[in-house]
Amino acid sequence: MSDLARVDTRRAGTTQLVRITGELDLSNARELTDAVGHAVPDDVTLVVVDLSGTTYLDSGGIAAFFRLSQRLRDRRQDLRLVVPDASPIRAVVELTRLSQVIPVDQSAPDLSGQMAYAALPPDSAPDRSQPPATTDAPDPGAPDMSDPEGDQRNG
Amino acid sequence: MTTGVGAVETSGPAPLPSSGTQDPDGRDTPDISPAATPTRRLVRLAAIAVAYYLGARLGLSLSLVGNDVTPLWPPTGVAVAALIVFGRSYWPAVAVAALAVNLPISANPLAAVVTAVGNTLAPVVAVTFLRRVGFRRELDRQSDAIAIVFLGALASMLVSATIGAVTLLASGSITTGQLPAAWAVWWTGDAMGVLTVAPFLLCLPLFWEQRRWPLRLWLEALAILVVASLVVAAAVTTGLHIFFLTLPLLGWAAWRLQLRGAAPAALIATLLATAAAARQRGPFEGKTLLEQMVTLQAFNACVALTSFFLAALVSERMQTAAALTAAASELERRVEQRTAQLSAANTRLVQEIQERSEAQEQLSHEEARAQREHQIAETLQRSLLPDRLPDVPGVALAARYVPATADVQVGGDWYDVVQLPGGLIGLAIGDVAGHGLNAAATMVQVRMALRAYALQDPSPPAVMRGVHQLVAQLPVPEMVTLIYLVFDPATRRIRWTNAGHPPALAFADGQGAFLEGALSPPVGVTVDGSFTEASEVLPPGVTLLLYTDGLVERRGVSLTAGLARLDREACAVPDDDVEALCERLLDTFLDEEHIEDDVAILAMRPVPSVDGELDVRLPAEARNLVQVRSALRRWLKEAAVSEPDVNEVLVACGEACANVVQHAYSDQESVGELVVEARLDGDDLVVRVRDHGHWRPAADRGGGWGLHLMRALMDDVDVEHTPAGTDVRLHRRVHVGVEA
């Protein structure tokens, strides 16, 4: 049921940010992560899947992320997950020791910093510390991403 | 001139009706030549007189005893035949000839005159009788044969015999004792003369009046006459009693040639036999006078009667056969004619039918097109409305769509139920202005857009804005009224926005209220498209009813009155069943015969969990896992279980359900049932997940994390396998009463 979850992707430099809102279960986890894997361009080096807006995740979803991780590793791309401490899925993530295979962060990365870092050639990093949004960030829609959804679920 | 002649002739010797000799086409005018000129008449008179005289000489020559007893008196036959053929007005010829015959052989002239009168009177009487009975001289009917035998011969000749015999007595030629014998001889002679000679003479005109004989028949007739003559001659000359041999010959002649063959043969036979008797030859040799007379007259009578009757019989049969043939062919002709008429009529009828059907086809063409459009619109409408509302645990849903009965009024009304993330349910009902295919097509786009917008962001104003933008950019902007409403089963809170649509009705326990808030103009009408939101918490047991205006709008009835009636009727429905509610409302508000406008209704009723326990039964499909979670989440929250516990229990239960979905029915063709039950005693929570399939070890599912997670998240996990299915009991102490 693809109605269950929504996926937004955004690219910043060599980083692909994927935000999954909704629920991941047996019915959609596999196809969803497969779609993410397909959608990531080859020149991306890091894929960050933000699960801050994910309200449900079961073992099928965990398996799907292992699969995605393996796939990206084959392409020399790294995968990181974002699961806040207060997330409803935190328990599942910990119980399955997902973090031993895929790095799990508390919060979404500082996109602008990463972009700046990613945009800099390794040698000339100190010289260019200021051009964050000019070259590689075409859409200044970043504030949307930190806005947690699901307010309607608070009874 | 006809009448003049007739009038003169009525003064004749007998009180006869006019013979009408010159009547050209009278049926009883046997004259051969009606337009007889005086010259011809004289010739005929002379011919008749001569023939009579010669016949008399012949008769005298055949007398048995001197001139006294003549067994055959041919002139009588000549007279009868002549008067039949030419008419009674020729009697003077007979009278003159009779006088001429009788004068030499009578005692005195007076006796001769009287006798001649008798001889003339008898044929006239005979012809008169025959005319009375409609005698035909062709002698081709049995009645003609009977008439000439009994009236023409036997009866009429009583006249001449009586007069002649009495005259003989009076003139002293015979004694009183001789009178009977003389009378008898006279009578038989005259009668025989009529019977033998008259038919022969009558048959003569037939040779040119009737169908001519081919040569074959002439030869046959000749053969018959020759053989008959030989037979009679042989009988006469040899004394052999072979007269009877003539009878088959006469039969032959009558059968083959009718009167024209039979009459001459009979005449020849009779003449020869009489001649033999007169000369006392053959069988007549040595017989007394009486014996001769009896033998001869018996023979002659046989011959005459046989020939006439047989000829008449055969003629009649032939005529009947001809008449039958003619009738048959006439019938056949008429049948053919009638058949042709009927066939023509049929062709005409078929043509008319075809023309009419063509006309009708033409006529119904327009109607058919309108009907087709109606059908297409209705089919489109039906196929695009949800064929089945989703199974949402804890919520009862029912909907109806009734298309307008009028031709082009269908299309435009719709409803939808969307399941949204977080267990929310989106309800929508709307009406696209206009009807027919265009309205139906717009409806489809609006419905699909609304679904997409709702999944992206369930907020009613956001969804409505999206729909507004879509409608505004349509090539032909349509006015769309629409209510979009989001229901959270966990909180029973509804949030809605209303774009120009009749307000939804919420009612419970006989009390109803319309959801009046958040009303804006219809979608696609205003430029800016700003929409507000209203929200309300539904009390327990409330039913929510959404509908289109076709349900309440009636001609001559205000919308306010219609809404009031809807409120009244909905509250009066005793049953809690939403299906029954829909049926009842349609029955109450719609006229089955004529539905002016489309009607769509959508009813929703949150169902309270039974006795505080959860019982969810759904097909074991992956897409239903979210339903189970929603129901369980709602139930746990209603039971005031703490949020962290809720989330962990959801995962544990979800794993058990996923196992059922993946494994329980994998070896079966049809999907079985997934049963989830939950019970809370104080802080003791038990969740049971059951199926009716076979347990398969969860080997390849996330490294067996399913069971691992269940055990980690719950205090106790008990899995029981039976042939009837698998029963997973999840047990855990939870925090109750802590606000989430």
Side-chain angles (χ1 to χ4, degrees):
Chain A
M1 206 181 213
S2 55
D3 298 350
L4 271 183
R6 190 156 59 93
V7 178
D8 301 305
T9 67
R10 203 174 299 278
R11 179 161 177 190
T14 57
T15 298
Q16 185 81 27
L17 189 61
V18 180
R19 184 161 172 257
I20 298 180
T21 314
E23 307 183 23
L24 280 178
D25 68 7
L26 187 64
S27 69
N28 64 348
R30 174 107 175 233
E31 67 178 289
L32 213 139
T33 51
D34 281 357
V36 169
H38 279 296
V40 173
D42 286 343
D43 58 344
V44 163
T45 57
L46 175 64
V47 177
V48 177
V49 176
D50 182 358
L51 298 178
S52 305
T54 304
T55 54
Y56 182 85
L57 179 71
D58 68 0
S59 61
I62 300 293
F65 281 120
F66 280 133
R67 208 178 129 81
L68 176 63
S69 162
Q70 184 65 46
R71 182 178 183 144
L72 294 175
R73 199 179 302 135
D74 293 347
R75 289 156 55 177
R76 312 227 158 195
Q77 293 170 319
D78 290 329
L79 173 66
R80 295 186 79 86
L81 301 179
V82 176
V83 181
D85 268 347
S87 167
I89 67 171
R90 188 76 202 180
V92 174
V93 170
E94 286 173 0
L95 284 170
T96 53
R97 299 192 186 89
L98 187 63
S99 56
Q100 292 183 356
V101 182
I102 307 169
V104 177
D105 302 321
Q106 282 276 345
S107 59
D110 179 0
L111 205 59
S112 57
Q114 274 215 351
M115 280 193 304
Y117 180 75
L120 285 176
D123 295 333
S124 58
D127 293 335
R128 301 181 58 186
S129 55
Q130 290 298 2
T134 49
T135 52
D136 290 310
D139 188 348
D144 273 0
M145 298 197 165
S146 56
D147 177 26
E149 214 171 76
D151 47 352
Q152 73 274 16
R153 286 190 52 247
N154 295 326
Chain B
M1 66 175 179
T2 357
T3 46
V5 174
V8 168
E9 290 187 354
T10 47
S11 59
L16 301 175
S18 161
S19 68
T21 46
Q22 297 185 347
D23 188 350
D25 42 21
R27 204 179 119 56
D28 55 353
T29 48
D31 297 323
I32 288 175
S33 159
T37 59
T39 317
R40 287 186 82 160
R41 184 176 165 82
L42 280 179
V43 169
R44 284 178 188 170
L45 285 170
I48 292 168
V50 168
Y52 190 96
Y53 187 78
L54 290 178
R57 298 311 310 170
L58 176 65
L60 290 174
S61 73
L62 295 174
S63 64
L64 299 183
V65 182
N67 285 344
D68 290 340
V69 182
T70 308
L72 180 66
W73 191 239
T76 322
V78 171
V80 169
L83 296 190
I84 286 174
V85 172
F86 297 118
R88 279 167 297 182
S89 61
Y90 285 86
W91 64 268
V94 175
V96 169
L99 186 61
V101 169
N102 278 299
L103 270 181
I105 58 170
S106 293
N108 53 61
L110 180 62
V113 168
V114 173
T115 305
V117 168
N119 284 356
T120 307
L121 200 53
V124 171
V125 169
V127 173
T128 303
F129 279 152
L130 291 177
R131 288 208 171 167
R132 278 286 167 86
V133 298
F135 173 78
R136 278 166 56 86
R137 61 178 167 82
E138 287 85 359
L139 266 173
D140 52 3
R141 296 176 303 178
Q142 297 213 58
S143 59
D144 297 333
I146 291 171
I148 198 166
V149 169
F150 290 98
L151 295 177
L154 301 180
S156 304
M157 294 313 132
L158 293 172
V159 175
S160 57
T162 304
I163 292 176
V166 169
T167 306
L168 284 178
L169 179 66
S171 63
S173 298
I174 55 169
T175 62
T176 310
Q178 288 175 311
L179 181 64
W183 183 85
V185 170
W186 200 298
W187 181 60
T188 53
D190 276 1
M192 280 302 147
V194 173
L195 287 182
T196 56
V197 177
F200 170 74
L201 293 175
L202 286 176
C203 90
L204 293 180
L206 300 183
F207 281 97
W208 59 87
E209 281 178 358
Q210 291 188 347
R211 194 170 55 89
R212 301 292 164 86
W213 279 354
L215 182 62
R216 183 173 53 80
L217 285 183
W218 283 111
L219 292 176
E220 198 171 338
L222 186 65
I224 291 169
L225 292 183
V226 168
V227 172
S229 304
L230 288 177
V231 166
V232 174
V236 167
T237 52
T238 59
L240 295 172
H241 293 274
I242 54 171
F243 275 124
F244 59 86
L245 276 179
T246 51
L247 294 181
L249 286 168
L250 285 172
W252 176 18
W255 184 260
R256 294 286 303 160
L257 307 168
Q258 295 87 53
L259 189 62
R260 282 184 277 175
L267 179 64
I268 288 177
T270 307
L271 286 177
L272 286 177
T274 307
R279 290 172 181 77
Q280 300 205 348
R281 303 278 293 272
F284 302 101
E285 194 174 350
K287 297 282 174 31
T288 64
L289 180 62
L290 186 62
E291 284 171 343
Q292 288 179 31
M293 277 294 287
V294 169
T295 304
L296 181 64
Q297 297 299 35
F299 174 74
N300 286 349
C302 275
V303 166
L305 294 180
T306 303
S307 58
F308 299 159
F309 276 103
L310 209 53
L313 190 67
V314 171
S315 293
E316 202 168 45
R317 287 186 55 129
M318 286 174 69
Q319 280 171 3
T320 307
L324 273 178
T325 308
S329 67
E330 170 68 8
L331 192 65
E332 198 170 336
R333 191 186 61 78
R334 290 175 64 172
V335 165
E336 277 173 13
Q337 193 180 1
R338 190 77 187 127
T339 305
Q341 283 174 354
L342 283 176
S343 155
N346 196 37
T347 310
R348 217 165 42 238
L349 200 65
V350 165
Q351 196 177 349
E352 272 176 25
I353 288 174
Q354 192 173 349
E355 279 169 7
R356 284 188 60 170
S357 85
E358 276 171 9
Q360 199 155 3
E361 204 174 323
Q362 193 81 18
L363 202 75
S364 62
H365 191 65
E366 291 295 316
E367 199 180 340
R369 207 173 52 186
Q371 238 173 18
R372 208 157 47 237
E373 188 173 328
H374 176 79
Q375 255 173 358
I376 291 171
E378 186 183 330
T379 307
L380 188 65
Q381 187 93 350
R382 285 201 180 283
S383 68
L384 293 167
L385 289 176
D387 58 342
R388 190 170 68 94
L389 295 176
D391 298 316
V392 183
V395 173
L397 286 164
R400 294 287 186 280
Y401 168 71
V402 182
T405 47
D407 280 346
V408 292
Q409 296 300 302
V410 75
D413 282 18
W414 59 285
Y415 60 85
D416 205 355
V417 176
V418 197
Q419 286 183 273
L420 302 170
L424 300 181
I425 301 166
L427 303 179
I429 194 158
D431 184 359
V432 176
H435 297 283
L437 280 178
N438 287 340
T442 302
M443 180 277 276
V444 172
Q445 297 188 54
V446 170
R447 179 175 165 232
M448 289 304 155
L450 184 135
R451 264 185 169 253
Y453 294 133
L455 287 170
Q456 201 169 21
D457 181 355
S459 154
V463 169
M464 205 62 101
R465 267 195 302 277
V467 172
H468 176 79
Q469 279 162 11
L470 172 95
V471 172
Q473 60 83 47
L474 285 177
V476 183
E478 308 262 13
M479 192 180 82
V480 179
T481 68
L482 170 64
I483 288 183
Y484 172 64
L485 186 149
V486 177
F487 174 65
D488 184 352
T491 60
R492 285 200 307 276
R493 174 171 292 278
I494 51 172
R495 299 155 64 199
W496 77 90
T497 183
N498 183 347
H501 203 78
L505 175 68
F507 63 95
D509 301 328
Q511 293 286 321
F514 287 101
L515 305 180
E516 306 276 7
L519 185 63
S520 58
V523 172
V525 170
T526 57
V527 180
D528 59 342
S530 61
F531 299 93
T532 56
E533 173 180 323
S535 134
E536 205 167 289
V537 175
L538 296 179
V542 80
T543 302
L544 196 61
L545 179 69
L546 294 86
Y547 53 90
T548 55
D549 56 5
L551 183 67
V552 291
E553 270 189 357
R554 289 292 172 277
R555 271 187 199 147
V557 178
S558 73
L559 183 61
T560 315
L563 292 178
R565 184 175 171 219
L566 176 63
D567 187 6
R568 221 165 40 240
E569 294 291 344
C571 289
V573 176
D575 210 335
D576 282 345
D577 184 12
V578 287
E579 296 283 350
L581 170 70
C582 290
E583 288 301 323
R584 171 80 178 260
L585 289 179
L586 291 185
D587 282 351
T588 307
F589 281 89
L590 297 191
D591 174 10
E592 276 186 19
E593 298 298 316
H594 180 75
I595 298 168
E596 277 187 32
D597 196 1
D598 284 10
V599 174
I601 54 179
L602 175 59
M604 183 197 75
R605 187 165 195 274
V607 183
S609 43
V610 182
D611 296 335
E613 293 190 10
L614 177 73
D615 187 347
V616 177
R617 287 156 195 272
L618 290 169
E621 293 171 0
R623 66 186 179 87
N624 285 333
L625 290 175
V626 64
Q627 314 288 358
V628 176
R629 287 201 298 277
S630 298
L632 183 59
R633 181 187 286 125
R634 191 163 64 244
W635 183 81
L636 289 170
K637 288 197 172 183
E638 278 176 2
V641 175
S642 72
E643 178 84 22
D645 285 356
V646 168
N647 286 329
E648 293 182 11
V649 169
L650 282 181
V651 173
C653 175
E655 294 298 336
C657 293
N659 263 335
V660 172
V661 168
Q662 278 193 305
H663 303 296
Y665 303 105
S666 59
D667 59 344
Q668 295 179 15
E669 282 187 14
S670 60
V671 172
E673 195 177 40
L674 164 66
V675 183
V676 177
E677 295 154 324
R679 193 158 47 83
L680 186 64
D681 289 331
D683 61 352
D684 189 18
L685 172 69
V686 177
V687 178
R688 282 179 76 188
V689 177
R690 293 188 293 132
D691 64 63
H692 308 302
H694 303 291
W695 174 265
R696 291 287 163 83
D700 194 27
R701 285 182 57 246
W705 276 317
L707 198 55
H708 170 70
L709 280 176
M710 279 186 255
R711 294 217 162 102
L713 292 170
M714 305 302 280
D715 297 342
D716 184 31
V717 176
D718 179 26
V719 181
E720 186 183 348
H721 311 297
T722 68
T726 303
D727 188 348
V728 177
R729 290 167 183 272
L730 306 170
H731 182 261
R732 171 169 167 161
R733 285 195 181 280
V734 292
H735 299 281
V736 180
V738 179
E739 280 298 317

